[in-house]
Amino acid sequence: MKITILNGDNKSNGNFTGYISELSKILATENTIEVFDLNKMNLKFCTGCWSCWWKTPGECAMKDDAGIIFRSVINSDLLIFASPLTAGFTSSELKKITDRLIVLIHPYIEVRNDEFHHKKRYDKYPEIAVIVEKNSDTDDEDLEIISDIYKRLAINFHSSLKFFKTTDDDGVKEISLAITSTKTQKTQKV
Amino acid sequence: MSLAIINGSPRGLKSNSELLMRNFIEGYCNIIPRIPEQLFLAKASDLAGIPDKIKTSQNIIVIFPLYTDCMPGIVMQFFEDAYESGILNSKNVGFIVQSGFPESKHSVFVERYLEKLCRRLNCNYLGTVIKAGVEGIRIQPPSMTKKLFAAFSLLGEEFAKTGEFDRTIKDQLMGRYEFTGATIGLLKIISKTGAFNMYWNKKLKENNAFKLRNSNPYSEFRN
Ligand SMILES: Cc1cc2nc3c(=O)[nH]c(=O)nc-3n(C[C@H](O)[C@H](O)[C@H](O)COP(=O)(O)O)c2cc1C
């Protein structure tokens, strides 16, 4: 299975980045993994220009490193949003690229789950998973808020939230198991 | 009263957020004839001045567009900075979240985050005004936006009087939480006719991009 990990750690080579690189090593034995350390890349904030929807459909106007991320994400089976928590949410570094993922969906509107959403641009979208590192002030309410927001994102993204894990509760082994089970479920579905 | 407005739209001066706040400010100035400053997170020249402006204002309103079911990245960066510096501590802080889709349901998830953020930063939470269905207001004729702008003007006026978001106007702006029953059936039918795509088709055609509307440049062959 192909997995893309978007690592939103703001600190270069912090503990969290160490965790993610350890996880990706384990996963790489059986999967194709691409990890993007976002803070080491040249990435700009979305400016809301809608070029990707009505000027150059499907392509972002910004000239930076985001193209390789878009390609990796849309061709993956699993997309992992990974980040330490600050101010009660995943990092702005991660939110920066998340905003720009709208390049992968279509402007056209449909009523889905009895709500307004955008249509697909691609036939297939990856499953979504989230891995966060708690901050000293993180509580269960924070985790619930964050996981609910990612569930909403998953709907918009024609996907579903496979798991939401914290590095404190789950070591790399547990997480790699959770990922393997994503794969098993997939195989069963087929 | 001292008020600073933080505009978190990535579109900056040319945003729906600015247009809504222009009306809010107009109403506010009917009561307090001193224009509150509006600072733009998307304007590099405004960024440096934000801490000072916040220091001298007891009331802060942060307005932003819903981006992928949450705040835009630049707004999250602002929250991270506020968390680090403690600059919002003990201030009265209110939010306005406006969005594209017509139901306000899309914004209630980030609202929970905003309320918690205020508890986390020890600021006095003034609430979150939610307004859905805002994309397009910059090109709509005045007849279509009159009611909305009047409501924002009144929201500003009441804010100047009380330092709070007026409950009735807030509820009015919140509008429909979600579509249900027969309406949803009807919307599904309309959605199949493509009627909701008129705005996008117009823009695609204006940009000579209509033929390319379904392109998927990042897909790779897979088995
Ligand atoms: C990157 C991006 C993501 C968006 N995500 C959502 C969304 O999840 N839900 C929604 O209802 N509208 C969404 N919108 C629409 C904006 O919230 C809406 O167009 C808003 O009025 C823009 O305000 P502004 O001009 O002040 O930036 C999104 C727009 C952009 C550019």
Side-chain angles (χ1 to χ4, degrees):
Chain A
M1 140 162 109
K2 178 160 183 215
I3 304 169
T4 298
I5 304 182
L6 302 178
N7 172 16
D9 194 352
N10 284 334
K11 296 182 254 33
S12 314
N13 309 317
N15 285 347
F16 185 76
T17 296
Y19 182 100
I20 292 300
S21 79
E22 202 185 321
L23 174 68
S24 60
K25 266 184 216 139
I26 296 184
L27 290 171
T29 56
E30 285 187 41
N31 306 280
T32 311
I33 311 283
E34 269 190 288
V35 182
F36 295 98
D37 292 330
L38 303 172
N39 75 348
K40 294 183 188 140
M41 299 176 72
N42 169 28
L43 295 170
K44 300 192 174 94
F45 286 106
C46 173
T47 60
C49 71
W50 283 153
S51 276
C52 64
W53 279 3
W54 66 39
K55 275 196 183 147
T56 51
E59 267 179 89
C60 180
M62 224 91 75
K63 298 287 165 259
D64 61 7
D65 295 344
I68 47 168
I69 297 183
F70 300 149
R71 184 173 298 279
S72 178
V73 166
I74 203 59
N75 294 294
S76 286
D77 302 295
L78 181 68
L79 165 63
I80 303 181
F81 292 95
S83 170
L85 300 179
T86 0
F89 204 67
T90 48
S91 71
S92 58
E93 204 66 58
L94 185 58
K95 192 62 182 59
K96 189 198 274 183
I97 193 69
T98 308
D99 293 346
R100 293 185 54 194
L101 294 182
I102 61 143
V103 74
L104 300 175
I105 53 177
H106 203 286
Y108 282 4
I109 289 164
E110 63 185 356
V111 179
R112 189 154 40 88
N113 294 5
D114 288 353
E115 295 171 3
F116 275 73
H117 287 287
H118 290 288
K119 285 193 175 168
K120 285 182 172 182
R121 177 174 293 282
Y122 291 84
D123 292 339
K124 182 179 166 283
Y125 288 79
E127 304 277 19
I128 283 174
V130 179
I131 303 173
V132 297
E133 178 185 67
K134 289 189 201 169
N135 198 352
S136 53
D137 64 359
T138 305
D139 60 22
D140 287 348
E141 187 190 15
D142 292 320
L143 298 177
E144 205 179 304
I145 291 172
I146 302 163
S147 114
D148 283 351
I149 290 175
Y150 275 96
K151 276 183 201 150
R152 295 296 299 173
L153 172 73
I155 300 175
N156 238 332
F157 209 64
H158 298 271
S159 178
S160 64
L161 184 65
K162 274 293 146 200
F163 65 78
F164 181 93
K165 301 262 180 206
T166 66
T167 56
D168 318 52
D169 297 335
D170 294 285
V172 286
K173 290 227 171 68
E174 282 88 354
I175 293 197
S176 66
L177 259 173
I179 292 170
T180 322
S181 81
T182 313
K183 189 157 100 182
T184 323
Q185 282 162 18
K186 244 200 166 67
T187 327
Q188 281 167 355
K189 245 192 264 166
V190 177
Chain B
M1 118 154 50
S2 50
L3 170 66
I5 296 164
I6 309 288
N7 185 318
S9 167
R11 293 176 183 158
L13 281 160
K14 288 191 178 150
S15 60
N16 297 334
S17 304
E18 190 281 331
L19 194 49
L20 295 176
M21 284 327 271
R22 203 187 297 168
N23 287 279
F24 179 99
I25 290 169
E26 200 181 284
Y28 179 94
C29 288
N30 288 340
I31 306 298
I32 302 175
R34 187 165 20 93
I35 300 175
E37 197 156 349
Q38 184 169 190
L39 294 142
F40 293 84
L41 296 181
K43 219 168 121 191
S45 55
D46 275 12
L47 276 182
I50 287 179
D52 276 347
K53 201 67 226 162
I54 291 180
K55 268 185 210 141
T56 54
S57 309
Q58 189 48 37
N59 299 283
I60 316 290
I61 293 178
V62 183
I63 179 167
F64 61 83
L66 193 67
Y67 261 37
T68 61
D69 298 278
C70 205
M71 79 299 275
I74 52 170
V75 174
M76 189 55 216
Q77 194 172 50
F78 169 71
F79 292 157
E80 284 170 347
D81 292 347
Y83 179 76
E84 286 297 316
S85 66
I87 201 152
L88 289 174
N89 294 19
S90 80
K91 303 281 178 187
N92 303 324
V93 184
F95 302 90
I96 302 175
V97 180
Q98 51 86 15
S99 62
F101 291 134
E103 318 99 313
S104 48
K105 181 182 181 185
H106 298 273
S107 297
V108 301
F109 300 87
V110 72
E111 178 187 19
R112 278 164 54 206
Y113 168 78
L114 297 171
E115 192 265 329
K116 180 73 191 276
L117 179 73
C118 285
R119 267 188 277 147
R120 170 170 265 117
L121 302 181
N122 290 318
C123 38
N124 174 30
Y125 178 59
L126 298 176
T128 298
V129 174
I130 292 176
K131 178 68 192 111
V134 168
E135 179 63 20
I137 57 165
R138 287 169 56 84
I139 55 164
Q140 282 165 2
S143 60
M144 282 175 79
T145 50
K146 208 169 127 196
K147 226 172 110 192
L148 173 67
F149 293 167
F152 263 83
S153 172
L154 209 55
L155 190 72
E157 203 168 302
E158 291 302 316
F159 193 88
K161 284 184 201 157
T162 62
E164 285 174 11
F165 291 133
D166 181 85
R167 187 82 253 157
T168 316
I169 307 167
K170 192 168 171 260
D171 288 350
Q172 181 201 327
L173 287 168
M174 176 95 176
R176 193 189 292 271
Y177 178 75
E178 63 186 350
F179 296 101
T180 50
T183 317
I184 208 76
L186 187 65
L187 288 171
K188 277 184 186 155
I189 296 169
I190 300 176
S191 137
K192 294 224 167 76
T193 68
F196 296 136
N197 304 328
M198 269 155 53
Y199 173 68
W200 303 111
N201 282 338
K202 181 172 172 282
K203 289 290 180 180
L204 279 159
K205 284 174 189 161
E206 274 171 22
N207 289 298
N208 277 330
F210 186 73
K211 274 193 192 146
L212 297 171
R213 68 193 179 284
N214 297 324
S215 43
N216 39 22
Y218 298 110
S219 90
E220 280 164 5
F221 172 75
R222 47 169 133 196
N223 48 31

